[in-house]
Structure formats: structure tokens, C-alpha cells
mmCIF file of all heavy atoms in Angstrom:
data_model
loop_
_atom_site.group_PDB
_atom_site.id
_atom_site.type_symbol
_atom_site.label_atom_id
_atom_site.label_comp_id
_atom_site.label_asym_id
_atom_site.label_seq_id
_atom_site.Cartn_x
_atom_site.Cartn_y
_atom_site.Cartn_z
ATOM 1 N N GLN V 22 -156.744 -13.817 63.842
ATOM 2 C CA GLN V 22 -156.497 -15.227 63.546
ATOM 3 C C GLN V 22 -156.804 -15.567 62.089
ATOM 4 O O GLN V 22 -156.111 -16.378 61.469
ATOM 5 C CB GLN V 22 -157.332 -16.104 64.490
ATOM 6 C CG GLN V 22 -156.846 -16.050 65.938
ATOM 7 C CD GLN V 22 -157.872 -16.528 66.936
ATOM 8 O OE1 GLN V 22 -158.885 -17.131 66.564
ATOM 9 N NE2 GLN V 22 -157.634 -16.263 68.220
ATOM 10 N N LYS V 23 -157.821 -14.905 61.527
ATOM 11 C CA LYS V 23 -158.192 -15.184 60.134
ATOM 12 C C LYS V 23 -157.100 -14.758 59.160
ATOM 13 O O LYS V 23 -157.015 -15.291 58.049
ATOM 14 C CB LYS V 23 -159.500 -14.463 59.798
ATOM 15 C CG LYS V 23 -160.737 -15.181 60.315
ATOM 16 C CD LYS V 23 -162.006 -14.462 59.870
ATOM 17 C CE LYS V 23 -163.243 -15.229 60.352
ATOM 18 N NZ LYS V 23 -164.487 -14.523 59.962
ATOM 19 N N LYS V 24 -156.276 -13.797 59.577
ATOM 20 C CA LYS V 24 -155.212 -13.319 58.688
ATOM 21 C C LYS V 24 -154.227 -14.429 58.343
ATOM 22 O O LYS V 24 -153.531 -14.365 57.333
ATOM 23 C CB LYS V 24 -154.450 -12.160 59.352
ATOM 24 C CG LYS V 24 -155.243 -10.884 59.468
ATOM 25 C CD LYS V 24 -154.356 -9.688 59.775
ATOM 26 C CE LYS V 24 -153.521 -9.885 61.005
ATOM 27 N NZ LYS V 24 -152.788 -8.643 61.407
ATOM 28 N N TRP V 25 -154.147 -15.470 59.208
ATOM 29 C CA TRP V 25 -153.135 -16.504 59.020
ATOM 30 C C TRP V 25 -153.699 -17.751 58.334
ATOM 31 O O TRP V 25 -152.977 -18.729 58.140
ATOM 32 C CB TRP V 25 -152.548 -16.897 60.372
ATOM 33 C CG TRP V 25 -151.970 -15.728 61.113
ATOM 34 C CD1 TRP V 25 -152.477 -15.136 62.223
ATOM 35 C CD2 TRP V 25 -150.806 -14.981 60.760
ATOM 36 N NE1 TRP V 25 -151.708 -14.080 62.605
ATOM 37 C CE2 TRP V 25 -150.668 -13.954 61.717
ATOM 38 C CE3 TRP V 25 -149.869 -15.090 59.739
ATOM 39 C CZ2 TRP V 25 -149.623 -13.040 61.676
ATOM 40 C CZ3 TRP V 25 -148.828 -14.183 59.692
ATOM 41 C CH2 TRP V 25 -148.707 -13.167 60.653
ATOM 42 N N GLU V 26 -154.964 -17.700 57.928
ATOM 43 C CA GLU V 26 -155.577 -18.893 57.347
ATOM 44 C C GLU V 26 -154.988 -19.263 55.990
ATOM 45 O O GLU V 26 -155.071 -20.411 55.556
ATOM 46 C CB GLU V 26 -157.092 -18.695 57.221
ATOM 47 C CG GLU V 26 -157.818 -18.695 58.567
ATOM 48 C CD GLU V 26 -159.318 -18.505 58.412
ATOM 49 O OE1 GLU V 26 -159.766 -18.258 57.261
ATOM 50 O OE2 GLU V 26 -160.035 -18.610 59.421
ATOM 51 N N ASP V 27 -154.409 -18.276 55.304
ATOM 52 C CA ASP V 27 -153.916 -18.522 53.947
ATOM 53 C C ASP V 27 -152.492 -19.085 53.909
ATOM 54 O O ASP V 27 -151.978 -19.392 52.832
ATOM 55 C CB ASP V 27 -153.967 -17.233 53.122
ATOM 56 C CG ASP V 27 -155.388 -16.776 52.870
ATOM 57 O OD1 ASP V 27 -156.292 -17.630 52.882
ATOM 58 O OD2 ASP V 27 -155.595 -15.562 52.675
ATOM 59 N N ILE V 28 -151.832 -19.185 55.071
ATOM 60 C CA ILE V 28 -150.496 -19.792 55.078
ATOM 61 C C ILE V 28 -150.484 -20.959 56.067
ATOM 62 O O ILE V 28 -151.229 -20.969 57.048
ATOM 63 C CB ILE V 28 -149.389 -18.770 55.435
ATOM 64 C CG1 ILE V 28 -149.535 -18.286 56.883
ATOM 65 C CG2 ILE V 28 -149.397 -17.596 54.473
ATOM 66 C CD1 ILE V 28 -148.361 -17.435 57.332
ATOM 67 N N SER V 29 -149.625 -21.901 55.810
ATOM 68 C CA SER V 29 -149.554 -23.096 56.665
ATOM 69 C C SER V 29 -148.842 -22.777 57.974
ATOM 70 O O SER V 29 -148.174 -21.748 58.099
ATOM 71 C CB SER V 29 -148.805 -24.210 55.935
ATOM 72 O OG SER V 29 -147.436 -23.858 55.784
ATOM 73 N N LEU V 30 -148.978 -23.687 58.928
ATOM 74 C CA LEU V 30 -148.281 -23.530 60.204
ATOM 75 C C LEU V 30 -146.771 -23.475 59.982
ATOM 76 O O LEU V 30 -146.072 -22.660 60.591
ATOM 77 C CB LEU V 30 -148.621 -24.696 61.133
ATOM 78 C CG LEU V 30 -149.886 -24.562 61.993
ATOM 79 C CD1 LEU V 30 -150.156 -25.872 62.725
ATOM 80 C CD2 LEU V 30 -149.730 -23.431 62.982
ATOM 81 N N GLU V 31 -146.279 -24.348 59.104
ATOM 82 C CA GLU V 31 -144.854 -24.385 58.848
ATOM 83 C C GLU V 31 -144.351 -23.046 58.286
ATOM 84 O O GLU V 31 -143.310 -22.527 58.699
ATOM 85 C CB GLU V 31 -144.516 -25.521 57.871
ATOM 86 C CG GLU V 31 -144.688 -26.929 58.448
ATOM 87 C CD GLU V 31 -146.147 -27.385 58.441
ATOM 88 O OE1 GLU V 31 -146.997 -26.649 57.895
ATOM 89 O OE2 GLU V 31 -146.428 -28.460 58.980
ATOM 90 N N GLU V 32 -145.115 -22.487 57.347
ATOM 91 C CA GLU V 32 -144.735 -21.203 56.750
ATOM 92 C C GLU V 32 -144.768 -20.082 57.792
ATOM 93 O O GLU V 32 -143.909 -19.197 57.795
ATOM 94 C CB GLU V 32 -145.672 -20.863 55.592
ATOM 95 C CG GLU V 32 -145.499 -21.755 54.373
ATOM 96 C CD GLU V 32 -146.583 -21.519 53.340
ATOM 97 O OE1 GLU V 32 -147.750 -21.246 53.726
ATOM 98 O OE2 GLU V 32 -146.275 -21.613 52.136
ATOM 99 N N HIS V 33 -145.774 -20.148 58.660
ATOM 100 C CA HIS V 33 -145.925 -19.140 59.708
ATOM 101 C C HIS V 33 -144.740 -19.190 60.678
ATOM 102 O O HIS V 33 -144.145 -18.161 61.032
ATOM 103 C CB HIS V 33 -147.241 -19.379 60.443
ATOM 104 C CG HIS V 33 -147.687 -18.225 61.283
ATOM 105 N ND1 HIS V 33 -148.954 -18.142 61.812
ATOM 106 C CD2 HIS V 33 -147.047 -17.105 61.715
ATOM 107 C CE1 HIS V 33 -149.072 -17.019 62.513
ATOM 108 N NE2 HIS V 33 -147.917 -16.385 62.471
ATOM 109 N N ILE V 34 -144.366 -20.399 61.080
ATOM 110 C CA ILE V 34 -143.233 -20.574 62.000
ATOM 111 C C ILE V 34 -141.944 -20.082 61.347
ATOM 112 O O ILE V 34 -141.150 -19.361 61.955
ATOM 113 C CB ILE V 34 -143.083 -22.056 62.406
ATOM 114 C CG1 ILE V 34 -144.309 -22.514 63.202
ATOM 115 C CG2 ILE V 34 -141.811 -22.261 63.233
ATOM 116 C CD1 ILE V 34 -144.428 -24.021 63.330
ATOM 117 N N LYS V 35 -141.747 -20.450 60.074
ATOM 118 C CA LYS V 35 -140.538 -20.045 59.357
ATOM 119 C C LYS V 35 -140.458 -18.518 59.234
ATOM 120 O O LYS V 35 -139.383 -17.921 59.361
ATOM 121 C CB LYS V 35 -140.518 -20.689 57.973
ATOM 122 C CG LYS V 35 -139.192 -20.477 57.233
ATOM 123 C CD LYS V 35 -139.162 -21.260 55.941
ATOM 124 C CE LYS V 35 -137.795 -21.138 55.268
ATOM 125 N NZ LYS V 35 -137.386 -19.749 55.016
ATOM 126 N N MET V 36 -141.613 -17.877 59.014
ATOM 127 C CA MET V 36 -141.645 -16.422 58.905
ATOM 128 C C MET V 36 -141.112 -15.778 60.177
ATOM 129 O O MET V 36 -140.313 -14.839 60.145
ATOM 130 C CB MET V 36 -143.086 -15.953 58.650
ATOM 131 C CG MET V 36 -143.243 -14.438 58.519
ATOM 132 S SD MET V 36 -144.991 -13.924 58.576
ATOM 133 C CE MET V 36 -145.670 -14.865 57.225
ATOM 134 N N ARG V 37 -141.576 -16.276 61.324
ATOM 135 C CA ARG V 37 -141.140 -15.714 62.601
ATOM 136 C C ARG V 37 -139.665 -16.033 62.868
ATOM 137 O O ARG V 37 -138.928 -15.200 63.407
ATOM 138 C CB ARG V 37 -142.026 -16.254 63.745
ATOM 139 C CG ARG V 37 -143.462 -15.769 63.686
ATOM 140 C CD ARG V 37 -143.530 -14.275 63.928
ATOM 141 N NE ARG V 37 -144.865 -13.734 63.724
ATOM 142 C CZ ARG V 37 -145.154 -12.843 62.795
ATOM 143 N NH1 ARG V 37 -144.211 -12.401 61.976
ATOM 144 N NH2 ARG V 37 -146.380 -12.381 62.675
ATOM 145 N N MET V 38 -139.221 -17.215 62.493
ATOM 146 C CA MET V 38 -137.802 -17.561 62.694
ATOM 147 C C MET V 38 -136.911 -16.722 61.780
ATOM 148 O O MET V 38 -135.801 -16.334 62.172
ATOM 149 C CB MET V 38 -137.586 -19.058 62.450
ATOM 150 C CG MET V 38 -138.231 -19.936 63.526
ATOM 151 S SD MET V 38 -138.062 -21.703 63.192
ATOM 152 C CE MET V 38 -136.283 -21.912 63.354
ATOM 153 N N ASP V 39 -137.382 -16.415 60.574
ATOM 154 C CA ASP V 39 -136.617 -15.553 59.661
ATOM 155 C C ASP V 39 -136.471 -14.137 60.217
ATOM 156 O O ASP V 39 -135.566 -13.397 59.826
ATOM 157 C CB ASP V 39 -137.296 -15.500 58.289
ATOM 158 C CG ASP V 39 -137.146 -16.819 57.520
ATOM 159 O OD1 ASP V 39 -136.288 -17.629 57.916
ATOM 160 O OD2 ASP V 39 -137.902 -17.028 56.553
ATOM 161 N N GLU V 40 -137.392 -13.768 61.117
ATOM 162 C CA GLU V 40 -137.330 -12.449 61.756
ATOM 163 C C GLU V 40 -136.342 -12.430 62.920
ATOM 164 O O GLU V 40 -136.120 -11.388 63.537
ATOM 165 C CB GLU V 40 -138.711 -12.034 62.257
ATOM 166 C CG GLU V 40 -139.717 -11.774 61.128
ATOM 167 C CD GLU V 40 -141.132 -11.566 61.632
ATOM 168 O OE1 GLU V 40 -141.382 -11.770 62.850
ATOM 169 O OE2 GLU V 40 -142.003 -11.212 60.810
ATOM 170 N N GLY V 41 -135.783 -13.599 63.253
ATOM 171 C CA GLY V 41 -134.777 -13.651 64.305
ATOM 172 C C GLY V 41 -135.210 -14.402 65.551
ATOM 173 O O GLY V 41 -134.446 -14.496 66.519
ATOM 174 N N MET V 42 -136.436 -14.929 65.556
ATOM 175 C CA MET V 42 -136.895 -15.680 66.726
ATOM 176 C C MET V 42 -136.262 -17.069 66.749
ATOM 177 O O MET V 42 -135.965 -17.658 65.697
ATOM 178 C CB MET V 42 -138.418 -15.844 66.713
ATOM 179 C CG MET V 42 -139.194 -14.573 66.964
ATOM 180 S SD MET V 42 -140.980 -14.950 67.078
ATOM 181 C CE MET V 42 -141.657 -13.313 67.326
ATOM 182 N N THR V 43 -136.076 -17.605 67.972
ATOM 183 C CA THR V 43 -135.686 -19.010 68.099
ATOM 184 C C THR V 43 -136.929 -19.841 67.787
ATOM 185 O O THR V 43 -138.053 -19.325 67.722
ATOM 186 C CB THR V 43 -135.214 -19.322 69.525
ATOM 187 O OG1 THR V 43 -136.316 -19.140 70.427
ATOM 188 C CG2 THR V 43 -134.055 -18.415 69.932
ATOM 189 N N LYS V 44 -136.720 -21.145 67.601
ATOM 190 C CA LYS V 44 -137.859 -22.008 67.303
ATOM 191 C C LYS V 44 -138.872 -21.987 68.449
ATOM 192 O O LYS V 44 -140.089 -21.934 68.226
ATOM 193 C CB LYS V 44 -137.393 -23.439 67.040
ATOM 194 C CG LYS V 44 -138.526 -24.361 66.592
ATOM 195 C CD LYS V 44 -138.040 -25.756 66.254
ATOM 196 C CE LYS V 44 -137.267 -25.771 64.956
ATOM 197 N NZ LYS V 44 -136.967 -27.143 64.489
ATOM 198 N N LYS V 45 -138.375 -21.962 69.672
ATOM 199 C CA LYS V 45 -139.260 -21.939 70.839
ATOM 200 C C LYS V 45 -140.094 -20.647 70.871
ATOM 201 O O LYS V 45 -141.299 -20.670 71.131
ATOM 202 C CB LYS V 45 -138.439 -22.058 72.123
ATOM 203 C CG LYS V 45 -139.268 -22.106 73.391
ATOM 204 C CD LYS V 45 -138.374 -22.275 74.616
ATOM 205 C CE LYS V 45 -139.221 -22.313 75.889
ATOM 206 N NZ LYS V 45 -138.359 -22.465 77.106
ATOM 207 N N GLU V 46 -139.411 -19.534 70.598
ATOM 208 C CA GLU V 46 -140.108 -18.242 70.586
ATOM 209 C C GLU V 46 -141.129 -18.184 69.456
ATOM 210 O O GLU V 46 -142.234 -17.652 69.614
ATOM 211 C CB GLU V 46 -139.100 -17.107 70.415
ATOM 212 C CG GLU V 46 -138.217 -16.881 71.636
ATOM 213 C CD GLU V 46 -137.061 -15.931 71.347
ATOM 214 O OE1 GLU V 46 -136.717 -15.746 70.149
ATOM 215 O OE2 GLU V 46 -136.498 -15.378 72.311
ATOM 216 N N ALA V 47 -140.768 -18.746 68.299
ATOM 217 C CA ALA V 47 -141.666 -18.743 67.153
ATOM 218 C C ALA V 47 -142.908 -19.575 67.428
ATOM 219 O O ALA V 47 -144.022 -19.193 67.063
ATOM 220 C CB ALA V 47 -140.939 -19.269 65.917
ATOM 221 N N VAL V 48 -142.729 -20.723 68.079
ATOM 222 C CA VAL V 48 -143.872 -21.584 68.427
ATOM 223 C C VAL V 48 -144.848 -20.824 69.325
ATOM 224 O O VAL V 48 -146.062 -20.848 69.114
ATOM 225 C CB VAL V 48 -143.382 -22.873 69.120
ATOM 226 C CG1 VAL V 48 -144.553 -23.612 69.769
ATOM 227 C CG2 VAL V 48 -142.682 -23.777 68.110
ATOM 228 N N LYS V 49 -144.320 -20.153 70.321
ATOM 229 C CA LYS V 49 -145.172 -19.394 71.242
ATOM 230 C C LYS V 49 -145.911 -18.270 70.512
ATOM 231 O O LYS V 49 -147.122 -18.077 70.703
ATOM 232 C CB LYS V 49 -144.320 -18.811 72.368
ATOM 233 C CG LYS V 49 -145.134 -18.040 73.396
ATOM 234 C CD LYS V 49 -144.234 -17.474 74.502
ATOM 235 C CE LYS V 49 -145.068 -16.678 75.515
ATOM 236 N NZ LYS V 49 -144.204 -16.079 76.563
ATOM 237 N N ALA V 50 -145.187 -17.540 69.655
ATOM 238 C CA ALA V 50 -145.785 -16.419 68.937
ATOM 239 C C ALA V 50 -146.880 -16.897 67.991
ATOM 240 O O ALA V 50 -147.972 -16.314 67.931
ATOM 241 C CB ALA V 50 -144.714 -15.662 68.159
ATOM 242 N N VAL V 51 -146.618 -17.952 67.257
ATOM 243 C CA VAL V 51 -147.589 -18.474 66.285
ATOM 244 C C VAL V 51 -148.842 -18.989 66.997
ATOM 245 O O VAL V 51 -149.968 -18.788 66.534
ATOM 246 C CB VAL V 51 -146.947 -19.573 65.418
ATOM 247 C CG1 VAL V 51 -148.004 -20.299 64.585
ATOM 248 C CG2 VAL V 51 -145.886 -18.955 64.513
ATOM 249 N N ALA V 52 -148.631 -19.660 68.123
ATOM 250 C CA ALA V 52 -149.784 -20.163 68.887
ATOM 251 C C ALA V 52 -150.682 -19.014 69.332
ATOM 252 O O ALA V 52 -151.915 -19.092 69.253
ATOM 253 C CB ALA V 52 -149.296 -20.956 70.100
ATOM 254 N N GLU V 53 -150.068 -17.940 69.803
ATOM 255 C CA GLU V 53 -150.844 -16.782 70.245
ATOM 256 C C GLU V 53 -151.553 -16.103 69.075
ATOM 257 O O GLU V 53 -152.718 -15.721 69.171
ATOM 258 C CB GLU V 53 -149.929 -15.776 70.945
ATOM 259 C CG GLU V 53 -149.426 -16.242 72.303
ATOM 260 C CD GLU V 53 -148.458 -15.262 72.929
ATOM 261 O OE1 GLU V 53 -148.071 -14.277 72.252
ATOM 262 O OE2 GLU V 53 -148.069 -15.475 74.102
ATOM 263 N N GLU V 54 -150.855 -15.972 67.953
ATOM 264 C CA GLU V 54 -151.421 -15.281 66.797
ATOM 265 C C GLU V 54 -152.576 -16.060 66.179
ATOM 266 O O GLU V 54 -153.535 -15.473 65.677
ATOM 267 C CB GLU V 54 -150.332 -15.022 65.760
ATOM 268 C CG GLU V 54 -149.346 -13.946 66.203
ATOM 269 C CD GLU V 54 -148.086 -13.906 65.382
ATOM 270 O OE1 GLU V 54 -147.877 -14.809 64.543
ATOM 271 O OE2 GLU V 54 -147.293 -12.969 65.574
ATOM 272 N N ARG V 55 -152.498 -17.379 66.222
ATOM 273 C CA ARG V 55 -153.546 -18.203 65.630
ATOM 274 C C ARG V 55 -154.613 -18.616 66.635
ATOM 275 O O ARG V 55 -155.674 -19.108 66.242
ATOM 276 C CB ARG V 55 -152.933 -19.462 64.999
ATOM 277 C CG ARG V 55 -152.160 -19.186 63.717
ATOM 278 C CD ARG V 55 -151.582 -20.456 63.145
ATOM 279 N NE ARG V 55 -150.952 -20.244 61.867
ATOM 280 C CZ ARG V 55 -151.480 -20.565 60.667
ATOM 281 N NH1 ARG V 55 -152.672 -21.128 60.623
ATOM 282 N NH2 ARG V 55 -150.823 -20.327 59.552
#
């Protein structure tokens, strides 16, 4: 979880969506990672 402290939630979500995730999938992944 500490690995993600240096980027914002928005940046984190965008990173996962750029990898091909839908917004719903990205929200779930980011919540778990943080």
C-alpha cells in the first residue's frame, strides 16, 4: 500500500485503465492495492 502513496488516486486509476482495464475493473484493482 505504501508503494502508491506518491501518486494520486486519479493517477492510479488512469494507470490501470491505460493497461486495458475498464473503469469498474480499475476501481476494484486500485481499492485492493491501496
Side-chain angles (χ1 to χ4, degrees):
Q22 290 162 13
K23 281 184 178 178
K24 290 195 305 188
W25 303 109
E26 289 180 354
D27 293 335
I28 66 172
S29 68
L30 274 173
E31 290 80 5
E32 290 171 325
H33 195 167
I34 296 165
K35 188 174 185 304
M36 180 192 303
R37 293 294 173 243
M38 291 177 66
D39 288 344
E40 293 171 352
M42 290 185 181
T43 64
K44 185 177 288 189
K45 183 178 180 181
E46 290 169 340
V48 167
K49 182 180 179 182
V51 170
E53 289 177 353
E54 289 166 352
R55 288 180 175 257

